[in-house]
Amino acid sequence: MPRYRLLVEYDGRPFVGWQRQADQPTVQGHIEQACQAVTGTAATVFGAGRTDAGVHALGQVAHTDLETTIPAWKLPDALNAHLRPAPVAILAAETVSAAFDARRSATARHYCYMIVNRRAPLTVKRGLAWRIPMPLDAGAMHAAAQALVGQHDFTTFRDSECQAASPVKTLSCIDVTQSAENITVTCSARSFLHRQVRSIVGSLVDVGRGKEPAGWVAEILAAADRTRCGPVAPPDGLYLTAVDYD
């Protein structure tokens, strides 16, 4: 049976996350229902990242095995017709080797977190970014974040329900940039711990608003103590932007 690689975009607000759950709206569940509607048989869709409730994706990658005569280039249109009106879109599809695994074959995952730094409430970006009304120093946030680059024990930034075998991860890069009222935190790693990015962003915001000095992030990282972490950023501003493969 042919294996297909799917490039997926979604607005995470209506979903309890990527992973299928009984009687709950999930991204995986919606795509599997669309696959069954197109092929007439049940299918399982495997994603590169199990995004949490409310988290968005611009470049999620998934794979699934489908028996269909529809050419790969037409498959997105067929699936999207059955995904509407859910805010999920298949951007591209291609046939791949049976050895391809969206999660296990990935060599890097890229996330960005969107902050809008202004006093006025959000309108068009409501649910799509984190509004912070007090002034933030993006330069201080970026400087503090550099202590996280490299291989570390990220226990401080690991959710208590994380099921990863080890808290040790390698963050290849993290940058904080600002354009007018928009502050973006981008980071890349082969894999991340549960809520690691949101935990990091929340701590960086404490630095940005002057509650903590830039060196504090290095201190709490070294402590390997979850209780030292700053507030966890809400899911609204988090996006899985891309997944890399060899």
Side-chain angles (χ1 to χ4, degrees):
M1 186 180 297
R3 176 159 295 185
Y4 294 87
R5 169 174 160 174
L6 308 176
L7 181 62
V8 188
E9 177 183 281
Y10 50 87
D11 176 344
R13 286 177 290 182
F15 305 108
V16 297
W18 165 270
Q19 192 168 357
R20 184 194 322 108
Q21 297 183 40
D23 303 319
Q24 296 287 337
T26 66
V27 181
Q28 181 187 28
H30 272 71
I31 299 175
E32 289 176 346
Q33 290 170 13
C35 288
Q36 183 165 359
V38 167
T39 66
T41 57
T44 302
V45 176
F46 301 89
R50 297 175 180 176
T51 52
D52 287 337
V55 174
H56 319 292
L58 303 176
Q60 170 75 282
V61 175
H63 80 264
T64 186
D65 298 331
L66 299 176
E67 194 64 66
T68 178
T69 58
I70 300 173
W73 66 274
K74 283 188 175 181
L75 189 57
D77 288 343
L79 293 174
N80 289 335
H82 293 282
L83 284 166
R84 290 192 289 266
V88 182
I90 309 301
L91 305 182
E94 61 179 321
T95 55
V96 290
S97 161
F100 175 81
D101 185 293
R103 183 171 67 87
R104 294 184 176 88
S105 301
T107 58
R109 292 167 174 83
H110 307 278
Y111 283 89
C112 75
Y113 195 97
M114 305 290 192
I115 296 170
V116 177
N117 191 201
R118 74 183 196 191
R119 291 185 60 82
L122 299 183
T123 55
V124 296
K125 291 184 179 179
R126 183 180 298 173
L128 301 174
W130 183 15
R131 179 185 70 92
I132 299 178
M134 67 284 293
L136 294 176
D137 183 340
M141 293 169 65
H142 177 77
Q146 301 318 297
L148 304 173
V149 176
Q151 185 180 82
H152 303 284
D153 179 336
F154 281 96
T155 295
T156 300
F157 303 100
R158 180 187 193 185
D159 188 83
S160 59
E161 297 180 358
C162 180
Q163 297 179 356
S166 169
V168 177
K169 295 291 178 182
T170 302
L171 198 63
S172 56
C173 65
I174 181 167
D175 295 293
V176 182
T177 58
Q178 183 167 14
S179 176
E181 65 184 17
N182 301 302
I183 295 176
T184 304
V185 182
T186 57
C187 52
S188 303
R190 186 181 184 93
S191 62
F192 289 87
L193 299 167
H194 188 204
R195 295 197 178 130
Q196 182 180 352
V197 177
R198 288 167 56 193
S199 298
I200 288 171
V201 170
S203 296
L204 292 178
V205 165
D206 272 359
V207 172
R209 66 192 187 96
K211 180 180 178 182
E212 302 288 353
W216 173 73
V217 171
E219 293 176 9
I220 64 173
L221 172 69
D225 179 355
R226 178 62 178 173
T227 65
R228 299 285 302 277
C229 185
V232 177
D236 307 41
L238 184 59
Y239 296 76
L240 173 57
T241 57
V243 185
D244 294 343
Y245 299 89
D246 287 335

